[in-house]
Amino acid sequence: MTSSTSNERITVEYRILHKVSQILQKPGDLVEILQNTMKALTEFEGLKVENKAGVFLADNNQKVLKLLTTIGDFSQEFIDKEQIIPFGDCLCGRAAASGELLMSESCDTDSRHERTFSDMTPHGHYIVPLKSFDNLVGILFLYTDTHPTWYQHSQEVLLSIGGLIANTIERKQIDEELNAHRNNLEDIVASRTQDLVKSKEQYRKLNNQIQMIREEEKSRLSREVHDQLGQSLTALKMDTIHIDKNLPADKADLKNQVKSMISTIDETIKSVQHIATELRPPILDAFGICEAIAWQSNEYKKRHGLEFDLNCLQDHVDIDKNLQTALFRIFQEAVTNILRHANASRVQVRMSREKETLTFVIADNGVGIKEKDIDNPESLGLIGIKERVRPWDGQVNFESSPGKGTMLIITLLLKIS
Ligand SMILES: Nc1ncnc2c1ncn2[C@@H]1O[C@H](COP(=O)(O)OP(=O)(O)O)[C@@H](O)[C@H]1O
Ligand SMILES: [Mg+2]
């Protein structure tokens, strides 16, 4: 071989390797990539391969080859018979068992060519192991004319190509596995998320129901304490006054005792009224949220000396009873927080309506709330506030800076369709 033909050969080898590696690097379906690779090889004239070839994948556990894809004109009989080939069987099985490249001059004379087909025409073979390092990934079989003048370097080139194909198959298999894992993971995440959303919804419904039951219970208790106990005590007081009046003037001791009874009864009546209003102020049901807030503010002022600026709904607004209860409880929770945490002297309360949106603001002049407290899952009081307005699509926000007080801003929709 002259040096110029040797150069030509190297150029062609380089071109075919370049082309094959380009095809193998393309993204897409493995079968399509392999078919394109085989077609490219038929264009490599020095190899003299026909447009007839195929790829098996190796199952190294079962020690069999499984037909993956072919190009060219194969009979159905061939395709059916060649689906599975045990290692060691025929040419391809032999190449799989040895891991070495096989060349066969003719199917008619080569005793290793054990498998025959009714439409078999004389041909030769390149059987190329597809190996990634020592791992047999599959077998590439190429058809050639019988007794080809074996291109002396084709073995090396074909082995290199086999290595490239093996790498691609491995990469695709890993990709597939990864994808399967990823899809599986996504499915798991989706189903867990769904479960979570469902149990969150259930929890909310339950929480709402518990709140409603608690309010009903408090209402009932408040009424019973106020009416039953209140009436009995009033009757008791009347009777005691009657006794007092009818006691002879000389029974000073008894008279004093009865007077003391009357004042005890008075205190008990006050305490009963207090308990009843604490449970649920009757003013809330009788006069509505603004009057209830005004009354409650006055109580806080009397008890804790906290000053209130109230500005509640200048025009009449029809507010759902449950929402009034929710707003009142939020007010109580907010002021309790101010008393416990804010070290404030003044509270501004504003409730206003703009079309369907109700805004409720409670602002203090205390130390300010910390960012971490606002979103803390352990701030159960604040979570309770959020949960209470959720049925009205309520949003709860805080504005605060250290030493500048805390502003709790609630907006919600009066009518939820
Ligand atoms: N008006 C406020 N000013 C300052 N800090 C506040 C105020 N309201 C709440 N906080 C802070 O937010 C935290 C969470 O409040 P909350 O959920 O009601 O829990 P709790 O009152 O039981 O501590 C409080 O512990 C407090 O540190
Ligand atoms: Mg609290």
Side-chain angles (χ1 to χ4, degrees):
M1 199 180 277
T2 66
S3 95
S4 88
T5 54
S6 149
N7 278 345
E8 261 170 46
R9 174 179 63 73
I10 289 169
T11 309
V12 173
E13 282 174 3
Y14 177 78
R15 278 225 306 271
I16 191 74
L17 275 169
H18 181 66
K19 180 151 194 194
V20 165
S21 70
Q22 253 184 341
I23 295 170
L24 288 173
Q25 273 171 32
K26 276 189 187 145
D29 179 51
L30 177 63
V31 165
E32 203 181 314
I33 288 173
L34 292 176
Q35 287 177 344
N36 289 338
T37 307
M38 292 186 279
K39 277 177 206 149
L41 291 177
T42 65
E43 288 157 20
F44 185 32
E45 277 199 4
L47 274 177
K48 299 222 181 320
V49 294
E50 293 176 24
N51 184 24
K52 228 176 155 182
V55 173
F56 290 101
L57 290 185
D59 181 335
N60 289 305
N61 293 324
Q62 310 267 335
K63 301 242 172 289
V64 292
L65 294 172
K66 293 177 179 167
L67 186 62
L68 178 65
T69 179
T70 58
I71 58 161
D73 194 16
F74 286 106
S75 68
Q76 193 56 46
E77 183 199 353
F78 176 89
I79 301 285
D80 291 345
K81 276 192 182 166
E82 298 289 284
Q83 282 304 309
I84 291 195
I85 300 195
F87 284 10
D89 205 15
C90 204
L91 292 176
C92 291
R94 280 187 165 77
S98 69
E100 288 184 359
L101 182 108
L102 285 185
M103 298 200 273
S104 173
E105 300 254 318
S106 166
C107 54
D108 295 331
T109 54
D110 192 332
S111 63
R112 298 171 302 175
H113 201 300
E114 289 154 343
R115 296 185 166 215
T116 54
F117 307 95
S118 49
D119 66 336
M120 199 160 84
T121 49
H123 61 266
H125 275 306
Y126 285 110
I127 312 290
V128 186
L130 308 177
K131 286 205 298 189
S132 170
F133 298 100
D134 275 343
N135 179 34
L136 182 80
V137 176
I139 293 287
L140 164 71
F141 60 95
L142 301 164
Y143 276 55
T144 69
D145 299 338
T146 55
H147 310 290
T149 41
W150 298 114
Y151 174 50
Q152 65 182 106
H153 291 277
S154 51
Q155 299 193 35
E156 278 168 39
V157 180
L158 285 171
L159 280 171
S160 306
I161 290 169
L164 291 175
I165 295 175
N167 286 340
T168 300
I169 293 175
E170 264 193 340
R171 205 184 66 229
K172 291 278 176 189
Q173 283 172 338
I174 290 169
D175 277 359
E176 259 170 42
E177 237 171 85
L178 262 175
N179 266 336
H181 280 303
R182 193 177 300 134
N183 289 342
N184 191 17
L185 213 72
E186 275 169 13
D187 285 352
I188 291 172
V189 169
S191 110
R192 292 278 152 84
T193 310
Q194 225 176 12
D195 287 352
L196 220 76
V197 167
K198 223 160 74 194
S199 54
K200 227 176 169 178
E201 259 168 37
Q202 282 170 340
Y203 150 76
R204 286 210 168 110
K205 274 193 188 145
L206 188 66
N207 184 49
N208 274 347
Q209 198 159 357
I210 290 171
Q211 293 290 6
M212 295 238 301
I213 291 169
R214 281 188 65 201
E215 288 298 338
E216 278 164 20
E217 196 73 341
K218 281 182 178 180
S219 267
R220 192 180 59 76
L221 268 176
S222 166
R223 269 196 313 273
E224 253 169 48
V225 166
H226 183 266
D227 298 352
Q228 307 269 355
L229 263 183
Q231 275 166 22
S232 305
L233 284 168
T234 310
L236 193 60
K237 186 179 166 182
M238 294 309 190
D239 290 348
T240 318
I241 289 172
H242 185 73
I243 293 171
D244 179 37
K245 277 190 185 144
N246 291 298
L247 268 180
D250 60 341
K251 302 278 185 196
D253 275 6
L254 272 180
K255 253 186 155 1
N256 277 343
Q257 216 169 341
V258 170
K259 285 236 157 28
S260 144
M261 275 172 75
I262 292 171
S263 81
T264 306
I265 293 171
D266 276 340
E267 267 161 38
T268 312
I269 288 173
K270 265 193 208 148
S271 150
V272 161
Q273 277 168 347
H274 181 72
I275 291 169
T277 31
E278 280 289 297
L279 279 167
R280 184 178 174 91
I283 197 168
L284 181 59
D285 294 315
F287 297 103
I289 180 68
C290 289
E291 281 72 10
I293 285 176
W295 167 82
Q296 182 72 79
S297 303
N298 203 37
E299 291 295 303
Y300 287 133
K301 183 181 168 158
K302 279 194 286 186
R303 258 183 273 165
H304 307 284
L306 204 54
E307 294 289 339
F308 284 83
D309 297 327
L310 301 183
N311 182 350
C312 188
L313 297 177
Q314 294 313 311
D315 306 314
H316 174 76
V317 183
D318 225 355
I319 301 179
D320 176 78
K321 253 209 147 49
N322 288 328
L323 178 52
Q324 296 204 36
T325 304
L327 292 169
F328 185 71
R329 296 304 182 199
I330 287 170
F331 176 70
Q332 287 182 316
E333 171 64 28
V335 179
T336 305
N337 274 351
I338 291 169
L339 290 167
R340 283 172 66 188
H341 310 297
N343 192 23
S345 59
R346 231 187 159 75
V347 182
Q348 286 187 308
V349 183
R350 181 171 62 81
M351 195 184 293
S352 57
R353 184 189 65 160
E354 175 83 40
K355 294 195 180 122
E356 297 302 305
T357 305
L358 188 88
T359 307
F360 186 28
V361 180
I362 302 164
D364 66 60
N365 63 348
V367 296
I369 190 168
K370 293 188 192 76
E371 197 69 41
K372 70 170 172 43
D373 286 330
I374 297 172
D375 298 319
N376 188 344
E378 281 174 26
S379 294
L380 294 181
L382 303 184
I383 290 170
I385 291 177
K386 288 177 196 150
E387 287 302 316
R388 278 194 184 273
V389 291
R390 191 178 290 278
W392 292 273
D393 219 6
Q395 304 293 316
V396 177
N397 289 297
F398 285 90
E399 277 178 21
S400 181
S401 49
K404 297 253 166 70
T406 302
M407 190 187 274
L408 165 64
I409 305 157
I410 292 166
T411 53
L412 52 87
L413 289 177
L414 285 171
K415 291 200 178 83
I416 294 277
S417 54

